[in-house]
Amino acid sequence: MKIATWNVNSLKVRLPQVLDWLAAQQPDVLALQETKLTDDAFPVEAIREAGYHCVYSGQKTYNGVAILARHELLDPLTDIDGLDDPQRRILAATVDGVRVINLYVVNGSEVGSEKYAYKLDWLGKVTGFIAGEMKRHEKLVVLGDFNIAPEDRDVHDPEAWHEKILCSTPEREALKKILDLGLSDCFRRFEQPEQSFSWWDYRAAGFRRNLGLRIDLILSSPALTETCTACIIDVEPRRLERPSDHAPVVAEFVS
DNA sequence: ATGGTTGCGGAGCAA
């Protein structure tokens, strides 16, 4: 089973790239973030023609998450207990016996800001939700744009980013609490090239100079972790004309 | 410290 995540930064703009990528890579599951589409505008038909089912939770202009899958998507969920949030950042569904939790984690803007406090609060509530889901589902993945670089080796310039947004200690501790539920960062289970990143700022030629961060993650529950055979970042779509600022991340599991 | 770019929506915010 091939499970992927991709922050597309507008599905309206990126739909052709997504369809091309689906055809080339044939993932079983693709979680999307920053679709930036209301549900009435979601391209259900084009995705169906590509051979995928979909569930989605969107809003105008900002945020928005979706899951595309070869098999049927069961028990979709868009809101969690104790988090009354108009921002569409969470989408869970079950595919082929695997609970898939797609997250577009709050960016947080700047350490110490109001948005930063919201990010940490949001992460705490989502951690509680994941804990509950793990009790109900042995095979589970939490994936998406975490907007947190787990370690300094996930940062092109750790000194420049020291205690900055996406890298601060409280953010990393919040991520660790999620990992401490028993989840594993699939990417780090395998040998990887140094300077592996999943996001590069559009500004200052970030991608050309590989000034990136690894903030897009696939976390797996123990039952899935032991079946994980590969995890890679596919940088090719980032090279395209008019790319997303994020690259897809792909994990493979054997059954 | 600032700026650099993209998307949305049609100015300025979010990332």
Side-chain angles (χ1 to χ4, degrees):
Chain A
M1 192 177 195
K2 199 165 168 179
I3 298 180
T5 179
W6 193 5
N7 179 323
V8 289
N9 185 21
S10 169
L11 185 56
K12 186 177 177 181
V13 173
R14 234 65 69 189
L15 181 62
Q17 291 184 20
V18 170
L19 295 174
D20 286 350
W21 193 81
L22 286 173
Q25 303 300 325
Q26 300 276 316
D28 296 284
V29 177
L30 174 59
L32 301 174
Q33 303 85 36
E34 284 204 88
T35 54
K36 299 186 176 179
L37 289 172
T38 51
D39 290 347
D40 61 292
F42 198 85
V44 179
E45 196 53 30
I47 287 165
R48 192 189 60 76
E49 284 169 11
Y52 285 83
H53 300 264
C54 58
V55 291
Y56 38 90
S57 177
Q59 66 184 90
K60 196 167 136 77
T61 313
Y62 301 116
N63 308 312
V65 282
I67 305 173
L68 320 186
R70 284 265 179 225
H71 291 90
E72 215 181 340
L73 289 143
L74 305 172
D75 304 318
L77 178 154
T78 60
D79 290 272
I80 67 176
D81 287 342
L83 185 65
D84 184 19
D85 193 352
Q87 300 189 23
R88 302 291 81 196
R89 299 178 173 278
I90 302 172
L91 181 59
T94 304
V95 188
D96 214 7
V98 177
R99 190 62 169 167
V100 177
I101 301 175
N102 178 16
L103 301 180
Y104 174 47
V105 174
V106 178
N107 175 285
S109 185
E110 227 178 297
V111 173
S113 67
E114 212 168 284
K115 287 173 185 169
Y116 182 73
Y118 164 60
K119 179 178 196 172
L120 296 178
D121 179 67
W122 189 95
L123 283 163
K125 284 168 176 156
V126 169
T127 304
F129 164 69
I130 295 167
E133 290 284 273
M134 287 184 71
K135 287 179 190 156
R136 285 185 284 279
H137 305 276
E138 195 180 24
K139 293 198 275 185
L140 172 149
V141 291
V142 184
L143 77 176
D145 177 358
F146 280 72
N147 270 318
I148 302 170
E151 302 175 47
D152 277 354
R153 62 176 164 163
D154 301 309
V155 180
H156 69 90
D157 186 346
E159 282 182 30
W161 284 82
H162 181 70
E163 295 301 335
K164 295 286 198 303
I165 196 67
L166 316 184
C167 299
S168 73
T169 302
E171 290 167 87
R172 285 177 171 173
E173 282 175 350
L175 174 60
K176 186 170 182 302
K177 281 186 183 161
I178 295 175
L179 294 166
D180 284 347
L181 296 173
L183 296 167
S184 179
D185 179 355
C186 292
F187 189 76
R188 289 300 180 203
R189 296 191 54 80
F190 304 94
E191 192 141 335
Q192 301 290 356
E194 281 183 34
Q195 307 288 305
S196 286
F197 308 123
S198 66
W199 168 83
W200 304 259
D201 202 313
Y202 283 126
R203 297 166 288 186
F207 181 68
R208 185 179 56 74
R209 300 193 285 158
N210 198 30
L211 307 182
L213 302 180
R214 189 176 70 93
I215 56 177
D216 299 272
L217 311 177
I218 301 177
L219 313 182
S220 57
S221 65
L224 275 183
T225 298
E226 58 188 41
T227 73
C228 188
T229 54
C231 183
I232 60 106
I233 298 168
D234 181 5
V235 298
E236 292 309 314
R238 189 62 176 79
R239 302 187 203 282
L240 298 172
E241 197 88 7
R242 219 178 169 195
S244 168
D245 45 352
H246 294 252
V249 182
V250 188
E252 291 215 51
F253 303 89
V254 291
S255 40

